[in-house]
Amino acid sequence: MSKHQYAMVMDLNKCLGCQTCTIACKKLWTDRDGTGYMYWNNVETRPGLGYPRQWDRIGGGWKDGLLQPSPLPTMDDYGHAWEYNYEQRLYEGKKQPVMPSPEPESGVNWDEDVGSMNEDENYFFYLPRICNHCTHPACLEACPRKAIYKRDEDGIVVIDQERCQGYRYCIKACPYKKIYFNEVTGKSEKCIFCYPRLEKGQVNACAAQCPGRLRFVGILDDPESPVHKLVLVHKIALPLFPEKGTQPNVFYVPPFNPPKRDNYGKSIQEDPRVPLDYLIYLFGPEVKDVIVRLEAELKKTQEGGRSEALQLLIGRDAETRYRVRPQLVQIQL
C-alpha cells in the first residue's frame, strides 16, 4: 500500500468531446517514434467501440483473486496512425482529393457522436480515459520482470524502461487496455499521471488544458482535496468497471441528463435519457445511489438551498479543482 494516492475525478456532465486533453497529452508524452498509435489519454463516445475497440469486452483484471489475462489487441483494434497524401496533391500535380492513407478502418474515437438509441431517442456521452493507477494493479502482478511498480510516495503506477523486456503480459492483464507496446524501443509504455509536473506543483497536462473544467485532481487521502470530497464525502463519483477488481483511482461523476420528453420535475430514474442499465454496466449498481444523491442535491438548490457538492462540481477556479501537494509526496532520495 502506498503512503498516499493521487487520484482524478472526471465529471462526465461537463465533457465537450473536444479532445483538447488528448492533444495536450499527445504532444507532451507520445510524440516520439513508435508512439504514433498511442493515446495515453483518449476521449471516446459512449456507447461505442472504444479504443482499442471493444476493450471493455476483451478481458483482464482479477476474478476470485486470480488474474484474468486476455488476448492482445491487434493494431487494427487500435487503428493505424495514418498519413495524408499531401505530397501528391500539393507537389506532384495529381488532382486527387486529400485522403488518409492507409484507408482507416478504426481509430481513437472512430464512432464519434454516433451513440445509440433509447426507445426512439438517440443518446451519447463522452468518456475520457487515462490509466487508472489502480490500488491493486493487474499489470504489476502480471509482469515477470517486476518492471512495473507503484510509487510508494504517491501511488502512481509506472514502468521501469530499463527492466521492461516488452513481454506484454501487462497489456493482457490490464482490463482497461491502457498500456501500449512501442515496437521501436521494444518496451511497454503508459500514462504516468504527469508525475514530473506534479512534483513541480503543476497539475496534469490533460486537466490543465481542459476547457470544460471537468477534471479534479488531488490526493485521495487528503481531506481537503476535491477528489477526497467527491469520492469519499459526497460519494458522487465512481470507478469504471469496479468488478474488474483492480480498485481504480480514476473516478467519474456519471451523466446526469434531464429526463426525456419535457418531463420537468420527474425523476431521472423514471424516464432516463441514458439507460440506467448502460450506466450500471459501466459503473456498477452503485450508480443508482449516486443519481439519487445528485438529484437530491439538485432539488436542494432548486428550492433555494445551497449544495456544497454541486458548488464543488462547478469548479470555478483551479484552486477548487486541484490540490497538488508535492511537499507531501516528496521522493526521499
Side-chain angles (χ1 to χ4, degrees):
M1 182 70 72
S2 303
K3 293 178 182 174
H4 302 288
Q5 178 66 59
Y6 264 117
M8 183 179 291
V9 172
M10 304 191 206
D11 184 354
L12 299 185
N13 301 281
K14 298 165 73 178
C15 185
L16 310 170
C18 65
Q19 306 287 353
T20 304
C21 53
T22 305
I23 300 303
C25 180
K26 189 72 183 164
K27 295 297 290 183
L28 186 60
W29 298 117
T30 55
D31 192 13
R32 298 170 280 108
D33 290 343
T35 63
Y37 81 101
M38 294 184 196
Y39 289 86
W40 290 1
N41 177 102
N42 73 287
V43 181
E44 54 199 43
T45 298
R46 284 283 158 179
L49 294 176
Y51 160 82
R53 60 189 176 192
Q54 303 284 21
W55 63 266
D56 52 321
R57 301 181 187 277
I58 295 176
W62 300 88
K63 185 176 182 181
D64 299 329
L66 299 175
L67 284 173
Q68 303 295 309
S70 73
L72 283 171
T74 67
M75 278 307 299
D76 288 340
D77 292 328
Y78 289 102
H80 297 269
W82 61 79
E83 300 291 341
Y84 290 85
N85 59 342
Y86 292 117
E87 189 76 16
Q88 297 176 5
R89 175 71 178 179
L90 300 178
Y91 304 111
E92 297 179 4
K94 298 181 179 178
K95 296 184 179 179
Q96 301 171 344
V98 176
M99 298 293 290
S101 178
E103 184 175 352
E105 297 181 351
S106 187
V108 68
N109 192 15
W110 183 250
D111 35 20
E112 182 178 8
D113 294 3
V114 173
S116 186
M117 297 296 289
N118 183 13
E119 297 180 355
D120 57 346
E121 293 188 9
N122 175 264
Y123 74 95
F124 66 83
F125 58 89
Y126 301 112
L127 182 70
R129 298 204 303 121
I130 62 174
C131 167
N132 288 286
H133 298 277
C134 306
T135 297
H136 193 31
C139 59
L140 184 155
E141 187 71 19
C143 179
R145 290 278 299 171
K146 303 301 179 188
I148 301 180
Y149 61 98
K150 265 182 86 68
R151 296 183 4 137
D152 185 54
E153 60 274 17
D154 54 21
I156 294 173
V157 177
V158 294
I159 300 176
D160 184 336
Q161 294 290 291
E162 298 296 324
R163 292 192 62 81
C164 179
Q165 294 296 309
Y167 295 151
R168 287 169 277 186
Y169 292 117
C170 53
I171 302 175
K172 293 183 176 182
C174 175
Y176 304 98
K177 297 297 173 268
K178 271 299 179 187
I179 303 182
Y180 307 91
F181 179 67
N182 187 322
E183 292 187 346
V184 175
T185 64
K187 313 284 186 181
S188 292
E189 300 184 18
K190 63 182 288 300
C191 159
I192 57 174
F193 208 73
C194 281
Y195 75 80
R197 290 175 59 89
L198 296 176
E199 290 176 353
K200 296 178 181 176
Q202 302 169 346
V203 75
N204 313 54
C206 57
Q209 296 296 319
C210 175
R213 302 184 302 185
L214 64 98
R215 299 186 186 227
F216 299 79
V217 179
I219 298 169
L220 197 57
D221 47 301
D222 174 7
E224 298 302 318
S225 81
V227 296
H228 177 92
K229 294 177 181 176
L230 291 169
V231 175
L232 300 176
V233 178
H234 299 297
K235 298 181 179 179
I236 53 176
L238 295 169
L240 193 57
F241 293 110
E243 73 276 12
K244 300 292 185 181
T246 61
Q247 299 177 33
N249 288 299
V250 174
F251 302 86
Y252 297 89
V253 179
F256 189 59
N257 305 87
K260 297 184 297 181
R261 305 189 197 100
D262 301 323
N263 285 327
Y264 182 77
K266 202 170 183 178
S267 169
I268 293 172
Q269 296 188 75
E270 294 178 78
D271 191 15
R273 190 176 299 267
V274 179
L276 285 176
D277 286 347
Y278 188 67
L279 295 181
I280 292 171
Y281 168 69
L282 291 177
F283 304 111
E286 197 178 337
V287 73
K288 296 172 67 175
D289 297 330
V290 169
I291 289 175
V292 169
R293 292 187 194 104
L294 286 169
E295 278 194 318
E297 296 297 320
L298 182 61
K299 185 177 181 182
K300 188 191 302 182
T301 60
Q302 289 172 338
E303 293 175 350
R306 186 179 187 282
S307 165
E308 181 184 347
L310 295 189
Q311 287 294 317
L312 181 55
L313 285 178
I314 291 172
R316 289 185 170 83
D317 50 47
E319 287 71 25
T320 303
R321 300 193 301 276
Y322 318 133
R323 184 171 162 89
V324 178
R325 304 188 67 189
Q327 71 279 12
L328 186 65
V329 298
Q330 190 172 14
I331 300 174
Q332 301 297 321
L333 299 176

